Amino acid sequence: MSVIESESSVGKDVPVGVQVNTLEGTTDLGHVPESRRMRVKQVVKSLGSKEAWFGDYDYASLFIPNVPFLSKKRELPFYGVHDKLPYMLMIILGLQHALAMVGGLVTPPLLLAGPAGANLGTAAQQYLVSACLIWCAFGTAVQVSRMRLGKTKYFIGTGLISVTGTSFAFTNVALSYLAQSYANGTCPMSADGKTKLPCPDEFGAILGTATLTGVFAIALAFVPPRTIRKLFPPLITGTMLVFIGAALVKSGVTNWAGGSGSCATDHTVMCSGPNPQYWGSGAYLGLGFSCFAVIVILEIFGSAFMKSASVFIGLVTGLIIAAATGYFNGSVITSAPAGTFLWLKTWPLHIRGQLVLPMIAAWAVIVAETIGNVTASADVSRMEISGETFMQRVQGGMLADSISATLAGLATVPPLTTFSQNSGVIALTRNASRSSGYMCAVILFLMGIIGKFGAIFVAAPSSTIGGFTTFLFGAVAVSGVRVLAYAKWTRRDRFIATTCFALGLASLCVPNWFSYIFTYKGSNAGLNGLIQAVILIVEEPYLIAALVGVALNATLPDEPEDEKPEGEAEGRDWNEPPTLVGPLPTQAQEIKV
């Protein structure tokens, strides 16, 4: 501290010879606490600053399309997890994250509340889409925050851009259970036996059983991630994801051809909706193909923003074409409420014993998926992917996912999970700042409370929804293939994979092959429930594959990896596919725009 004599302007009235300590001339004050009011004033003041709004970011690099052979390379700056973003960039990147996953987020509620699921009606579909958007906004905010649980070593949240969306694993189980319920008479059918009637009780049973079994996932969140990876190694998790995506493709293609109503089985009946056509007609296939084709074109020629939002842009293109050709149901949007929120529609919650084991398997998928997704997000965010801090991030991600997904049933929505595609957005835009994650949560929340937004997806023809969801479900299967690449592929691994795929493919190709083994026709509700559970597990491809895979993985002894044959590197180079536009940039390098 400087010593200033009484001649200082601060101490004019101090007697001569007395020293006065002041802050004048001090260069290092250390940490100066900043009040919350001061921070608010700084934010308000910055709203009038051009620098705070735009900074010096190259915004054109996000939007200029890529033209092979002609586009120049631009290097984007990298924003770390804790870096501050200009307000405009924060809004754009938050919107980019939201658009990258909104198509996948709204697909499960559309399927579960639509004719393929419980057939709850248009109003219920609108509500469920909006409710899922709202709840996933809360789940995203929790994941991005990362809070310590008291004075313990446990956290909730990853502290990374980890965006949550409705789980496809639970969607698969729920669709199979609802199909079984309509087949055995638990859910009502029309008098002619061709049309599914609303089945709110069994939809409530799905929500209620998911909430109860979520306790299993919460318990798993306190198990060390390394232990979970031993129980569910990439070989098992990848196989499950492959079959989840493959089974869901059936729903996507069915919608693409016209929907899952009575017209899907009786081809003498036209499908319902504006400008009705026969199932599988060229008009329906063309509408779905318009979405699919736009997604492919944007991947080739699109800018960084367009590529990450390609699924949503493809959907919007399909909606525009459907509206122009008379296939868009505008009355749905007109009748939709301007605003909505959670619990405006509710379903009675029940517990179904036959759903317990399938849902426990689905929870295992969610937890195992979270470990991989958090690892990918940490890697592209340039954070450590080993050590205690990383393990705490993974544990926090698992706990946040488990709690949010478990409480989702009480919020009238199906369970959610961390989405993987946002890791690709981070790599593409070179932005890992959590501020864009919070902005994504805000945008998802606004999408949810604006009732007309959710109605857009319900008003779309089934063929348009089928076009882009088929692509999404294919992406789920490919993510499983990618996870399988991390397996060691010893003889033991190949044997386990062969067994899993044999039974999984059997259930995928001949769904009812196990339906006639039980001959019991009595009235014992417990026994009937057990029989339904066994049939559901065996006939659901990813469930039977997971059950057999986990059992074999736990019992077969480990063995050393096969020796790599000579010339493997040359063979890999020889089989690597060529590209006409040169090598693609790595995640941490420059991006072609």
Side-chain angles (χ1 to χ4, degrees):
M1 186 70 70
S2 299
V3 178
I4 310 296
E5 299 294 338
S6 59
E7 287 82 6
S8 168
S9 60
V10 178
K12 288 184 177 180
D13 298 328
V14 178
V16 177
V18 177
Q19 294 180 329
V20 180
N21 293 334
T22 73
L23 299 179
E24 295 180 24
T26 301
T27 58
D28 182 15
L29 302 181
H31 173 68
V32 179
E34 188 178 34
S35 67
R36 188 172 299 176
R37 180 180 299 179
M38 184 180 301
R39 288 198 298 268
V40 172
K41 287 183 177 179
Q42 289 177 348
V43 172
V44 172
K45 184 178 180 181
S46 67
L47 293 177
S49 168
K50 181 179 179 181
E51 178 68 20
W53 270 98
F54 299 100
D56 57 355
Y57 190 82
D58 183 10
Y59 291 91
S61 60
L62 288 176
F63 299 101
I64 295 178
N66 172 50
V67 181
F69 308 109
L70 298 179
S71 298
K72 295 181 179 180
K73 295 180 180 179
R74 298 169 183 253
E75 185 173 352
L76 298 176
F78 181 83
Y79 288 94
V81 171
H82 303 291
D83 290 347
K84 292 184 178 180
L85 300 178
Y87 294 137
M88 182 56 65
L89 182 62
M90 180 176 65
I91 294 172
I92 292 174
L93 295 178
L95 178 64
Q96 191 169 11
H97 279 284
L99 295 182
M101 47 84 70
V102 70
L105 191 159
V106 303
T107 298
L110 288 174
L111 292 175
L112 292 175
N119 200 22
L120 300 176
T122 299
Q125 270 188 305
Q126 293 173 10
Y127 165 77
L128 200 58
V129 169
S130 297
C132 286
L133 287 165
I134 294 171
W135 191 251
C136 289
F138 291 143
T140 298
V142 172
Q143 282 284 26
V144 175
S145 297
R146 190 169 186 253
M147 300 166 286
R148 184 184 290 272
L149 295 178
K151 296 182 180 180
T152 68
K153 63 179 181 179
Y154 298 105
F155 289 79
I156 179 169
T158 63
L160 305 169
I161 302 180
S162 299
V163 181
T164 58
T166 40
S167 169
F168 287 115
F170 276 94
T171 302
N172 220 8
V173 172
L175 290 177
S176 297
Y177 172 72
L178 289 169
Q180 187 184 72
S181 298
Y182 278 108
N184 62 27
T186 305
C187 289
M189 297 284 290
S190 61
D192 59 5
K194 295 181 179 180
T195 305
K196 297 178 180 178
L197 299 179
C199 193
D201 286 346
E202 296 314 303
F203 182 75
I206 291 169
L207 298 181
T209 309
T211 301
L212 174 67
T213 53
V215 177
F216 170 74
I218 295 176
L220 278 183
F222 293 97
V223 176
R226 289 190 181 91
T227 303
I228 296 176
R229 289 302 290 266
K230 289 181 180 178
L231 291 173
F232 299 95
L235 180 67
I236 306 300
T237 307
T239 301
M240 295 168 76
L241 289 174
V242 167
F243 281 118
I244 288 173
L248 286 172
V249 164
K250 179 181 178 181
S251 297
V253 174
T254 301
N255 279 324
W256 189 341
S260 54
S262 58
C263 64
T265 53
D266 184 358
H267 300 301
T268 63
V269 178
M270 285 190 173
C271 299
S272 60
N275 199 359
Q277 304 287 333
Y278 289 107
W279 193 87
S281 67
Y284 286 153
L285 296 180
L287 283 175
F289 181 75
S290 66
C291 299
F292 202 96
V294 168
I295 295 172
V296 175
I297 292 171
L298 288 178
E299 184 61 31
I300 299 173
F301 300 103
S303 64
F305 185 91
M306 293 177 181
K307 286 182 179 180
S308 60
S310 60
V311 173
F312 183 79
I313 296 174
L315 173 61
V316 170
T317 303
L319 293 177
I320 293 173
I321 295 174
T325 53
Y327 291 93
F328 189 81
N329 192 355
S331 62
V332 172
I333 298 179
T334 304
S335 61
T340 186
F341 200 69
L342 301 173
W343 302 293
L344 293 183
K345 285 188 179 295
T346 58
W347 292 273
L349 301 182
H350 304 288
I351 307 298
R352 295 287 185 265
Q354 58 266 42
L355 277 172
V356 171
L357 288 178
M359 286 197 169
I360 286 178
W363 282 115
V365 173
I366 283 183
V367 172
E369 263 189 311
T370 301
I371 296 175
N373 292 338
V374 174
T375 303
S377 296
D379 188 21
V380 296
S381 300
R382 299 186 183 180
M383 306 296 287
E384 64 275 12
I385 54 173
S386 62
E388 183 179 357
T389 301
F390 169 69
M391 288 300 172
Q392 288 175 340
R393 288 191 189 277
V394 173
Q395 175 273 317
M398 291 191 299
L399 185 58
D401 259 8
S402 302
I403 293 176
S404 302
T406 301
L407 296 179
L410 302 180
T412 69
V413 300
L416 50 81
T417 184
T418 302
F419 272 21
S420 61
Q421 53 262 53
N422 293 86
S423 300
V425 177
I426 296 173
L428 196 62
T429 60
R430 294 167 59 84
N431 165 64
S433 175
R434 292 196 302 167
S435 57
S436 58
Y438 285 119
M439 179 54 63
C440 174
V442 171
I443 293 173
L444 290 176
F445 181 78
L446 293 176
M447 288 177 176
I449 63 174
I450 299 173
K452 303 289 186 182
F453 182 83
I456 294 175
F457 301 97
V458 181
S462 297
S463 52
T464 301
I465 298 297
F468 89 91
T469 55
T470 300
F471 179 87
L472 284 176
F473 299 150
V476 174
V478 170
S479 69
V481 175
R482 180 178 179 273
V483 173
L484 284 172
Y486 294 103
K488 297 178 181 179
W489 292 113
T490 61
R491 185 184 183 281
R492 173 183 181 272
D493 284 0
R494 294 195 298 272
F495 178 82
I496 294 174
T498 300
T499 309
C500 294
F501 270 81
L503 293 175
L505 289 172
S507 296
L508 184 67
C509 298
V510 188
N512 61 345
W513 71 282
F514 201 76
S515 297
Y516 308 102
I517 188 173
F518 298 107
T519 58
Y520 178 76
K521 302 294 181 182
S523 59
N524 188 317
L527 183 56
N528 280 321
L530 178 61
I531 291 173
Q532 288 181 8
V534 172
I535 293 175
L536 182 62
I537 291 173
V538 175
E539 293 187 350
E540 182 58 48
Y542 93 88
L543 289 179
I544 184 61
L547 182 64
V548 173
V550 170
L552 290 177
N553 183 63
T555 55
L556 289 179
D558 289 328
E559 63 182 43
E561 296 185 46
D562 294 343
E563 292 185 4
K564 297 180 180 179
E566 295 183 5
E568 181 183 356
E570 291 80 357
R572 184 171 57 248
D573 293 339
W574 175 262
N575 289 295
E576 187 170 324
T579 173
L580 296 176
V581 295
L584 295 175
T586 60
Q587 293 179 348
Q589 291 175 339
E590 53 195 12
I591 298 172
K592 291 194 67 169
V593 294

